[in-house]
Amino acid sequence: MAMIDGFLLYGLLKVLLGIHLTEEEEFNGADLSIHRISAHSEENIFLLI
């Protein structure tokens, strides 16, 4: 029941608030765009490039 409620709540918020990222935010990553933190440490970020 909780899972169904969660999907309904997410669907409602998605319709009302338009939950999505812009193309630039998708490219930068959700962690950096939403939370302003990197998902990777500074040492490992150069390995990803």
Side-chain angles (χ1 to χ4, degrees):
M1 187 67 169
M3 184 176 261
I4 294 170
D5 291 340
F7 281 119
L8 291 174
L9 180 61
Y10 175 77
L12 181 65
L13 289 174
K14 186 175 179 181
V15 169
L16 294 176
L17 302 177
I19 300 172
H20 69 283
L21 299 175
T22 64
E23 286 186 35
E24 182 180 354
E25 290 171 331
E26 285 183 23
F27 180 79
N28 291 334
D31 291 327
L32 191 57
S33 298
I34 297 171
H35 307 293
R36 305 287 187 241
I37 59 171
S38 177
H40 307 284
S41 66
E42 290 185 21
E43 297 89 30
N44 293 333
I45 202 157
F46 295 110
L47 299 174
L48 299 172
I49 299 175

